[in-house]
Amino acid sequence: MTHFDKVKSLKGTVRVPSDKSISHRSFMFLAMSQGKGRVIDPLLSEDTKATMAAMRSVGVSFEETVDGYVVTSKGYKNFQEPSDVIDCMNSGTTARLLTGVFAPTGKYVVLTGDESLRKRPMDRVIDPLTLMGAKFAARNDGHNLPMTILPSKTKPVHMQATTKSAQVKSAVLLAGVQTEGITTYIEKAVTRNHTEIMLAALGARVKTDGLKIEIEGAADLRSMDIVVPGDFSSAAFFLGAALMFENSELVLENVGLNPTRSGMLKVLSDMGVKYEIDSERGGAEKLGDIFIKSQTLKGCTIDGDIVANMIDELPMMATLGLFADSPVIIKGAKELRVKESDRIETTLYNLKQLGAEVEEYDDGMKVFPIKKVDTNAQLKSFGDHRIAMIAIMLAKRFGGNISVDDVKCVDVSFPSFIETFSRLEQK
Ligand code: S3P
């Protein structure tokens, strides 16, 4: 159990950790490509290390440099069969994307994960890949890890998404890029598009038209150098912090601004929040510096297609309901129930401990402005990195005797979170 001193405001400049989604993909996709390529500024966290270890187990070499890794590979056609089980640890992205990477290789691969990941649904990738001819055996009638990917030959298909998930889309595209012919995937809403952007840059023919994505296989992917931008989802905690802690002023540097990720900025604008974005730069993946300071907040309703573009930021947005002039309502976000924790339940658990009035829906939540704070609240992380970071922020905001049970899990995406936050504190 950890206690934190009360913090009045936050001031300074933050360089947030590199993007987790893009780091996973850089390690995986360079491993699938032929040649030598550099990943510059990757995120090195528990999650992304799991991806790197998985790719090493199929014969890919990762050599550490001052600013990242050199990845050397003979490409996906020459993967070796792993001699042991691959442990995806806490990482849903590793497990789901690797299912798509390995399904067409004709190799026998076993994936598992930690206790939390073994409870998360895997049928969402197994089902569409089975339509492509891939073969699996997985625990609980094909729902959960451990999962065995059996040797098979895949065929291209035309399919409609059944979940709004970038991981599922990516698994299909990663199988599609290795499968002779054109695979078509039609999304239910536009989800993060890093896979499409990066596979195209590595030489695949990928065509996006609204919700429809076509990919041609079997592609010859050629290595390249990839520079990873800052993670918008990590920046989101500091955007939230500037609005939670009075008299704060923060500059968030080098933040990835891909519109399929940064839906939170649009919703903050709808809540009346003013921020500035400086020196927007980058190629296919835009990035920039965000300046934000404390200000009053209106409540809002978040629903519809934008939910997919801010899925990991919703616990932070719900928490901002405590500080707004009217409730924050989130709907259409049932996906939150199958993240590292059930993020509707775990977010509301902590807010209720603090004395907040909340409502829980099957697909969302409503958080009212807080009237009286219980400064003896015992908050929990539920082993979920994003829930832990918000709990730490709440403990620092309200002070008193508030505790957080286990904060080690921040290492999954933001190993230096506590130090980075402390550097900005004005007590
Ligand atoms: C991710 C996609 C999202 C997100 C996760 C990372 C990715 O999951 O929540 O943190 O890198 O593709 P879903 O695809 O399940 O929505």
Side-chain angles (χ1 to χ4, degrees), residues 298-319:
K298 289 193 275 193
C300 66
T301 298
I302 305 168
D303 194 3
D305 288 351
I306 198 152
V307 165
N309 305 136
M310 55 187 304
I311 191 73
D312 291 337
E313 290 65 71
L314 292 175
M316 185 70 250
M317 293 306 299
T319 304

Side-chain angles (χ1 to χ4, degrees), residues 53-111:
M55 303 325 292
R56 278 194 166 119
S57 78
V58 292
V60 178
S61 123
F62 291 80
E63 211 183 305
E64 200 173 344
T65 62
V66 275
D67 55 2
Y69 282 86
V70 174
V71 185
T72 313
S73 177
K74 293 192 185 120
Y76 64 85
K77 291 175 190 159
N78 297 297
F79 280 165
Q80 294 162 13
E81 190 162 84
S83 59
D84 202 351
V85 170
I86 292 177
D87 187 354
C88 304
M89 299 174 70
N90 190 244
S91 175
T93 305
T94 308
R96 270 77 173 252
L97 269 60
L98 283 186
T99 309
V101 171
F102 294 136
T105 56
K107 303 280 186 291
Y108 178 93
V109 181
V110 184
L111 303 180

Side-chain angles (χ1 to χ4, degrees), residues 19-22 24-25 47 92-94 96-97 120 124 163-170 191-192 194-195 233 261 308 311-312 335-336 338-340 343 385-386:
D19 190 282
K20 182 150 79 71
S21 287
I22 298 178
H24 278 300
R25 287 165 172 77
D47 265 25
T93 305
T94 308
R96 270 77 173 252
L97 269 60
R120 297 179 65 189
R124 54 179 50 205
T163 34
K164 292 179 188 174
S165 162
Q167 292 175 352
V168 177
K169 166 179 71 177
S170 299
T191 61
R192 64 186 71 190
H194 307 305
T195 298
S233 296
R261 289 289 297 283
I311 191 73
D312 291 337
E335 278 293 302
L336 288 181
V338 292
K339 295 295 175 190
E340 286 84 328
R343 287 186 175 155
H385 55 125
R386 300 198 198 281

Side-chain angles (χ1 to χ4, degrees), residues 195-213:
T195 298
E196 297 89 304
I197 291 174
M198 294 171 74
L199 287 179
L202 291 162
R205 289 178 58 178
V206 190
K207 214 166 84 191
T208 303
D209 179 9
L211 294 172
K212 182 166 134 193
I213 305 148

Side-chain angles (χ1 to χ4, degrees), residues 145-178:
L145 297 179
M147 167 209 300
T148 305
I149 301 167
L150 298 158
S152 68
K153 189 166 164 44
T154 45
K155 56 178 191 294
V157 289
H158 185 290
M159 76 173 88
Q160 196 93 37
T162 52
T163 34
K164 292 179 188 174
S165 162
Q167 292 175 352
V168 177
K169 166 179 71 177
S170 299
V172 172
L173 297 179
L174 289 166
V177 79
Q178 302 175 61

